[in-house]
Structures are given as C-alpha cells and as structure tokens.
Amino acid sequence: MEKRIFTIIILCLIFTTLNGDSKKTFKCESTRNCTSDVEHEQSRTHCQPDSIKKNSIKIPAIINIVLIIIIGGLGNLLTIISIIYARLRYTARFPTLWNSTTILMLHLSLCDFLYCTLGLPVFIPVYFHGFLPHSEIFCRHSSMVRNLIAYADFLTMAAIAVTRSLGYILNHYNLEHLSKIIFSPKVTSCACIVIWFLAFLILSPITFSLTIGKYYFGKFGYDVKHGKCEVIQCETSEGFHPGAFIFGIAFFIPFLFLLVSHIVIITVLELEKRRTERRILAAQSQVPTGQIQVTLLGLSLAYFLFALPVLLVENTKEHTVLNSLSAYSWYWWMYAINFILYLITLKDFRTIYCLFFNDVFELMNQFPRTNGG
C-alpha cells in the first residue's frame, strides 16, 4: 500500500514538473481579457497592436473582408445551387454532370462558401472594436472551425488533382471499369467526408494542444500579438514554429499533388496528340478536356499565389503585424476567386448559371400575373 502511494506521489511530481517546464518553455496562452468574459471596467487597449488600430488600416481591412464575404458568399452559393438545380431539372441536357470532378468542384465551392460566411465575419467585430465582444470559448471554436474549413479546402484541391491524373492513368491502361468504380459519385461523395476527417487529423495537434517531444503545437484562442482569434503560435527555443509547420504541411502536400498532376497530364497530352487520348479525361468531366484543364490550372495558380504570402509570413521570425494583416487580406480572396474562374473558363458552367437565372426570373414574373388574375 505504501509503495502504491509513493508511486502515485512520484508520478504526480513528474507530471507537475513537466507541466511546469512546459509552461516556462512555451508561453502560449489565449488572452482571455480580450473577450467578453471579463468585467467591462477592465482595459482592453492591449488587445490589438497599435499598428492596426489606426482607422487608415482597420477600415480598409474591414471593407476588404466585407467585399470577400459578399462576393465569395453569393458567388459560391450561386455555384452550389445552380449545379444542384441543373442536376435535378436538366438531367437530360447535362447527362454526365454528376461526376467525380464536378462533385469535388462543388465541394470546393461549399468549403469556400463556409469560409466566407462562418470564418471571415468574426474578424469584423475584432478589428472594429479592438477586441472580441464574444466569449473566449467562441473565439477558440470560431478559429478552429475556420482553420478546419481552410484545410478541407486545400485537401479538396489535392483530391481534384489526384482525380484527374489517376483517371488518366487508369484509362490509358484500359482500366475503364476500375475507373468508373473509383470515380463514381458515391465513392467521390465518401471521399469528401474523408477529406474533412483528414483536415481534422492534421489540425488535431493544435485542437487538443498536444506536445510531441519537446514541441508544443499551440492552441486556438485570442492572439494578442496579431489582435485576432487565431492559432496562437508557440516558438520553441530553436526558433521552430510548430503551428506554422502544420500550415506548411497543409499547404505543400496539396500543392505537390497539384504540381505533379498538371505536369503529368499536360506533358502526356502534348506528347500524345491523338484524338482517343484527348477523350480520356473528358470521361471524368462534363466540359471538354481543354476547358477543364485551363480551369484547374487557374485554380492551382490562384491557390499558390494567394496562399504563398501567408506561408512566408507565418514561417518568418521577424515580421510585422501589418505585413501579416496584408498577407491575410490578400489570402482571403482565394475563397472568392474560384467561382469567377468557373465563370470565365467553363462554358457549360456559364450555361448553367444562365439557365438558373432565367428560370428564377420566369418564376418571379409569374407571381404578378397570378395575383392579378
């Protein structure tokens, strides 16, 4: 009995020591007094850096966020509703619309829509008031959901690239039967669920504030250094940022898939300019091969150009808060640009948008006649 008690005491001492060392080494806590969980009399002037408190900085930042929410929210919602509407109403006109590439593009629009409507609005009261007028729990959960959506968005881009390149390989080696099974709507829909699981798995070291070895991955909360609800970066003694490292993994892995996919497809299609080869990728998409490749190339370039500045800022030890705000203000436009690329590069998507609007206007014009009669 005494040995058991002694063992328990030793284990408690070890746990306390490790916890104490961790707190001394990694000062990475959410600033609770920058939320609504404190008394109103307490000062919140420290909750935002002076460089972004100026009206000349925060007002343009808020306007930028509002524009992204409006354009990205409405544009992606239009894409989601229009594609589903065309699937239900014009099945005969678009017989191969419901395929793996279209489903993944639809899922990408869903991720963009969720980011614009759930992730970005939180920043508006923060920049306007200089603190978050909501609870600290809301701050943690909102930043977690926003990052989860972003990582699901990144992985969806990678899934589209894998779908295109793998589809080509299978069809090239006369494995059309296997291709139809792998790229069936049901399998692709299940893949979308797996994407969210993988996004959660990548984010779990921060979500659960894990310490792996000597590296503490931080936590979600109010980051007073940047004046917003975000992943609170915890720099180790070696200058390593575990939180930024996770963002780098979530960025580079999808980008690597995108790069390899485009190199494989473009190179082979250029070397083998046969009509049968040109039809291979068309089996996965409603639109012609050339159009969908241009669209996916545009999405890849947008993904790279909009996310790269954030990646550089997050992994740079010496960077100003203003540089970080500028990088993120540019990065957020990535979630509003996709539907614009669809509109510019895909003729069938433009047709779907027009059909949807024409039917809506016809339906609206019927109401006055019905009431008048």
Side-chain angles (χ1 to χ4, degrees):
M1 185 68 179
E2 292 179 355
K3 290 183 179 180
R4 289 181 181 180
I5 295 174
F6 179 76
T7 303
I8 293 173
I9 292 173
I10 293 296
L11 290 174
C12 289
L13 288 173
I14 293 173
F15 179 78
T16 305
T17 304
L18 290 175
N19 263 3
D21 292 341
S22 178
K23 288 182 179 179
K24 290 177 183 178
T25 306
F26 310 107
K27 294 181 179 179
C28 185
E29 298 295 331
S30 176
T31 309
R32 188 181 181 88
N33 57 4
C34 290
T35 64
S36 62
D37 292 341
V38 297
E39 298 294 334
H40 294 288
E41 294 79 8
Q42 189 169 349
S43 174
R44 294 192 178 98
T45 56
H46 65 288
C47 294
Q48 216 165 56
D50 294 333
S51 57
I52 60 175
K53 285 182 180 180
K54 303 174 183 177
N55 289 332
S56 59
I57 301 297
K58 71 177 184 180
I59 291 179
I62 293 174
I63 293 174
N64 180 66
I65 294 171
V66 172
L67 288 175
I68 296 172
I69 292 173
I70 295 174
I71 297 174
L74 293 178
N76 286 295
L77 182 62
L78 171 64
T79 301
I80 295 169
I81 295 176
S82 298
I83 293 177
I84 296 176
Y85 179 77
R87 164 67 177 170
L88 298 175
R89 180 73 183 272
Y90 298 100
T91 306
R93 186 167 181 176
F94 303 98
T96 59
L97 178 66
W98 207 246
N99 57 77
S100 59
T101 301
T102 307
I103 291 174
L104 288 173
M105 292 172 70
L106 186 66
H107 185 258
L108 185 65
S109 293
L110 175 63
C111 292
D112 292 342
F113 173 75
L114 292 176
Y115 194 94
C116 291
T117 55
L118 296 180
L120 291 179
V122 180
F123 291 119
I124 296 176
V126 172
Y127 289 131
F128 182 79
H129 296 286
F131 62 93
L132 181 69
H134 301 288
S135 67
E136 201 266 341
I137 295 178
F138 175 83
C139 181
R140 290 205 314 267
H141 289 172
S142 64
S143 56
M144 181 189 70
V145 169
R146 184 177 65 253
N147 281 271
L148 179 66
I149 296 170
Y151 288 10
D153 194 284
F154 294 167
L155 293 174
T156 303
M157 293 287 292
I160 293 174
V162 171
T163 297
R164 303 297 295 175
S165 55
L166 183 59
Y168 173 81
I169 294 172
L170 292 176
N171 284 278
H172 183 72
Y173 290 99
N174 298 318
L175 298 173
E176 291 86 355
H177 177 69
L178 181 60
S179 178
K180 289 180 180 179
I181 296 175
I182 294 177
F183 300 118
S184 65
K186 290 183 179 179
V187 173
T188 307
S189 300
C190 292
C192 293
I193 298 175
V194 173
I195 284 173
W196 286 97
F197 175 76
L198 289 176
F200 178 79
L201 194 63
I202 294 173
L203 207 59
S204 59
I206 301 175
T207 303
F208 299 106
S209 301
L210 298 181
T211 301
I212 301 177
K214 57 182 179 180
Y215 298 118
Y216 177 52
F217 283 83
K219 62 191 298 184
F220 293 107
Y222 194 93
D223 182 10
V224 71
K225 180 180 178 181
H226 297 92
K228 60 180 180 179
C229 295
E230 190 52 88
V231 178
I232 303 176
Q233 300 287 357
C234 304
E235 182 181 349
T236 64
S237 58
E238 294 85 359
F240 177 68
H241 296 265
F245 175 71
I246 290 179
F247 182 85
I249 291 176
F251 172 83
F252 274 115
I253 291 179
F255 179 72
L256 182 62
F257 278 115
L258 289 168
L259 185 62
V260 172
S261 174
H262 288 301
I263 291 175
V264 169
I265 294 174
I266 292 175
T267 302
V268 174
L269 289 179
E270 285 297 323
L271 294 175
E272 303 178 11
K273 292 185 176 179
R274 302 174 186 175
R275 189 175 180 181
T276 54
E277 295 292 330
R278 299 294 290 178
R279 290 177 178 175
I280 288 174
L281 290 174
Q284 300 177 49
S285 177
Q286 168 68 19
V287 298
T289 300
Q291 291 186 29
I292 194 67
Q293 280 305 115
V294 170
T295 303
L296 296 179
L297 181 60
L299 290 174
S300 303
L301 290 175
Y303 170 74
F304 178 76
L305 293 175
F306 284 99
L308 183 61
V310 172
L311 182 68
L312 295 176
V313 167
E314 292 292 348
N315 286 278
T316 303
K317 186 175 182 180
E318 300 296 335
H319 69 272
T320 64
V321 178
L322 190 57
N323 288 338
S324 178
L325 177 60
S326 301
Y328 273 98
S329 296
W330 170 253
Y331 158 74
W332 291 328
W333 277 101
M334 183 180 74
Y335 300 95
I337 200 70
N338 289 346
F339 98 95
I340 299 176
L341 290 174
Y342 299 158
L343 189 64
I344 295 173
T345 60
L346 297 177
K347 182 180 178 181
D348 284 339
F349 272 55
R350 291 196 296 270
T351 303
I352 290 173
Y353 292 150
C354 291
L355 287 172
F356 175 74
F357 278 120
N358 288 335
D359 290 351
V360 170
F361 289 144
E362 287 182 6
L363 183 64
M364 292 175 63
N365 291 332
Q366 291 177 2
F367 283 107
R369 297 175 185 176
T370 304
N371 293 336

